[in-house]
Amino acid sequence: METNPRGIPKAPFLEDIGDYTSKNESVEITLKKFTEALNKYKFMEINSLQRRKGLEDKIPEIENTLKMIKHIMKKNEEEEPIETLFEVHDTLYANAKIGKPKSVNLWLGANVMLEYSLEEAEKLLQSKLVSANLSLKNVNEDLDFLRDQITTMEVNIARTYNWDVKQRRNAKKLEE
Amino acid sequence: MDKIRLLERTNEKDTELGWEDQLHINQFSKLNSKYEVLEQAYETAKKEKEYLVDLEMELELLDEESKIAYKLGDAFVKLGHEEALEQVETDKKAAESKLDGMKTELDSISQTLSELKTKLYAKFGNSINLDKD
């Protein structure tokens, strides 16, 4: 079976409905199979949409952290202390003057924070940013692909249904 | 006004759907949903850019000695007047180029959509509906 790079199977296109349904016992069974496949695609679409949302939140976060590190590096070069207002609580900020920091602590998740030198932190975040952007690109590709398969399936269902209606109509005519 | 409309038998065209038509329909559906997402993102980005323009004007009115708290992530950093202006200028330029890119994409999508629409309506006539209700 044909799949996309992330292993999502491709929806079949039916050249000839009559030919296809006759291989599949009955129209009802064919329609049932199609609806099942359609629901699977829709489920995958919802999952991918969630993944995209997560990445869309994560990328600006990484970008902001990188901006802050660049700012620290710039101030270090200028030999100026960093003046900042930092968040103590939601509605409370405190003034601070930081002289020439050599390292930063990055929150890695799962209650772990690690100390990095400025250069290392920049490198790490750069690579995280690149991989997050790549994942976003992949998710978007998947979503496009899924949309295609969903449309193909919907058209398949409609065509099979219409074909069936026509068959019945013809059969009735013959009876008369 | 949602009304279920039965096609008149005489209007019903029996057109065979080929693989190429299926591809056209798929592309239409894909681009249509992409257009909606992009259109929304464009509106948000446009507003953000307007804020930046306002901000630039406000900054120019401020005393040159004053320090500006610029939000970087969760914290604010204090920037000198000149530094802050530079930063806002770069932000504005980035926002502008992002907007331009989005505009070009929106235009090209809407052009492709109308081309596909003509093709599909020409082939399927009444049997297909591509317009929003």
Side-chain angles (χ1 to χ4, degrees):
Chain A
M1 201 188 252
E2 264 186 275
T3 64
N4 90 331
R6 252 85 47 202
I8 303 172
K10 216 171 159 192
F13 171 73
L14 318 178
E15 283 291 349
D16 186 337
I17 312 272
D19 196 37
Y20 189 88
T21 37
S22 62
K23 277 186 209 146
N24 258 305
E25 293 169 61
S26 73
V27 174
E28 284 74 31
I29 294 180
T30 314
L31 279 175
K32 215 180 126 202
K33 272 191 192 157
F34 284 169
T35 321
E36 253 170 44
L38 181 64
N39 285 336
K40 276 184 199 155
Y41 282 130
K42 285 200 169 151
F43 178 72
M44 280 190 261
E45 192 185 30
I46 291 170
N47 274 338
S48 301
L49 279 172
Q50 264 168 2
R51 247 172 73 80
R52 177 165 81 181
K53 182 92 197 37
L55 285 166
E56 276 171 350
D57 289 341
K58 200 172 127 192
I59 289 171
E61 241 172 63
I62 300 177
E63 280 172 347
N64 273 331
T65 317
L66 257 178
K67 256 195 192 167
M68 183 57 106
I69 286 175
K70 289 208 173 115
H71 178 75
I72 297 174
M73 284 172 142
K74 191 174 145 232
K75 287 284 170 188
N76 276 356
E77 248 170 60
E78 288 168 358
E79 309 251 321
E80 266 179 54
I82 297 154
E83 278 178 69
T84 172
L85 274 166
F86 69 95
E87 190 176 326
V88 185
H89 189 67
D90 281 353
T91 52
L92 182 65
Y93 284 80
N95 269 310
K97 227 178 217 179
I98 309 162
K100 258 203 154 213
K102 286 185 194 66
S103 63
V104 284
N105 294 290
L106 293 185
W107 183 257
L108 298 181
N111 283 331
V112 177
M113 200 181 231
L114 219 58
E115 187 174 4
Y116 287 90
S117 77
L118 285 170
E119 290 75 19
E120 272 174 340
E122 194 193 13
K123 237 168 84 188
L124 179 76
L125 287 166
Q126 262 325 342
S127 78
K128 289 272 168 239
L129 187 62
V130 171
S131 69
N133 274 319
L134 185 71
S135 311
L136 184 65
K137 202 179 134 251
N138 285 342
V139 172
N140 276 328
E141 269 175 26
D142 279 358
L143 279 167
D144 282 354
F145 183 81
L146 282 166
R147 197 93 289 274
D148 272 356
Q149 309 321 308
I150 287 172
T151 318
T152 308
M153 267 313 180
E154 277 169 352
V155 171
N156 279 347
I157 291 172
R159 283 173 70 210
T160 312
Y161 191 81
N162 286 346
W163 180 84
D164 187 39
V165 170
K166 227 173 89 192
Q167 283 313 96
R168 280 168 204 256
R169 204 184 286 156
N170 286 345
K172 231 183 193 170
K173 253 188 210 155
L174 278 178
E175 272 173 36
E176 284 163 12
Chain B
M1 272 260 288
D2 256 325
K3 223 172 20 178
I4 296 174
R5 183 172 54 104
L6 272 177
L7 282 174
E8 284 172 45
R9 289 277 155 87
T10 41
N11 278 348
E12 210 172 336
K13 265 210 283 180
D14 237 350
T15 324
E16 270 309 305
L17 184 129
W19 176 230
E20 207 174 298
D21 305 318
Q22 177 74 68
L23 285 181
H24 285 154
I25 296 175
N26 285 357
Q27 211 195 356
F28 185 87
S29 141
K30 197 165 63 185
L31 288 179
N32 209 20
S33 60
K34 199 181 242 172
Y35 190 85
E36 272 168 33
V37 174
L38 201 61
E39 208 176 19
Q40 259 182 19
Y42 182 78
E43 286 307 314
T44 333
K46 208 165 107 188
K47 230 180 251 164
E48 244 162 67
K49 202 214 109 188
E50 275 161 21
Y51 289 149
L52 282 169
V53 174
D54 288 350
L55 183 60
E56 200 183 12
M57 280 191 347
E58 292 291 333
L59 275 180
E60 267 161 18
L61 294 175
L62 274 179
D63 183 16
E64 280 178 31
E65 296 300 306
S66 55
K67 291 222 163 189
I68 286 113
Y70 181 86
K71 191 160 193 194
L72 253 184
D74 288 332
F76 293 89
V77 286
K78 294 263 181 84
L79 297 179
H81 188 258
E82 205 177 309
E83 255 181 323
L85 261 181
E86 263 172 42
Q87 189 60 53
V88 171
E89 187 71 28
T90 358
D91 291 348
K92 205 182 79 184
K93 280 207 178 109
E96 270 165 5
S97 73
K98 193 174 139 199
L99 268 180
D100 283 348
M102 282 166 126
K103 185 92 188 80
T104 335
E105 211 183 334
L106 275 172
D107 287 346
S108 96
I109 290 180
S110 107
Q111 207 200 332
T112 323
L113 277 177
S114 64
E115 277 170 24
L116 284 168
K117 220 182 225 180
T118 334
K119 266 189 211 158
L120 288 167
Y121 271 138
K123 174 138 195 197
F124 296 104
N126 265 341
S127 317
I128 199 166
N129 181 22
L130 303 168
D131 289 287
K132 284 172 209 158
D133 25 52

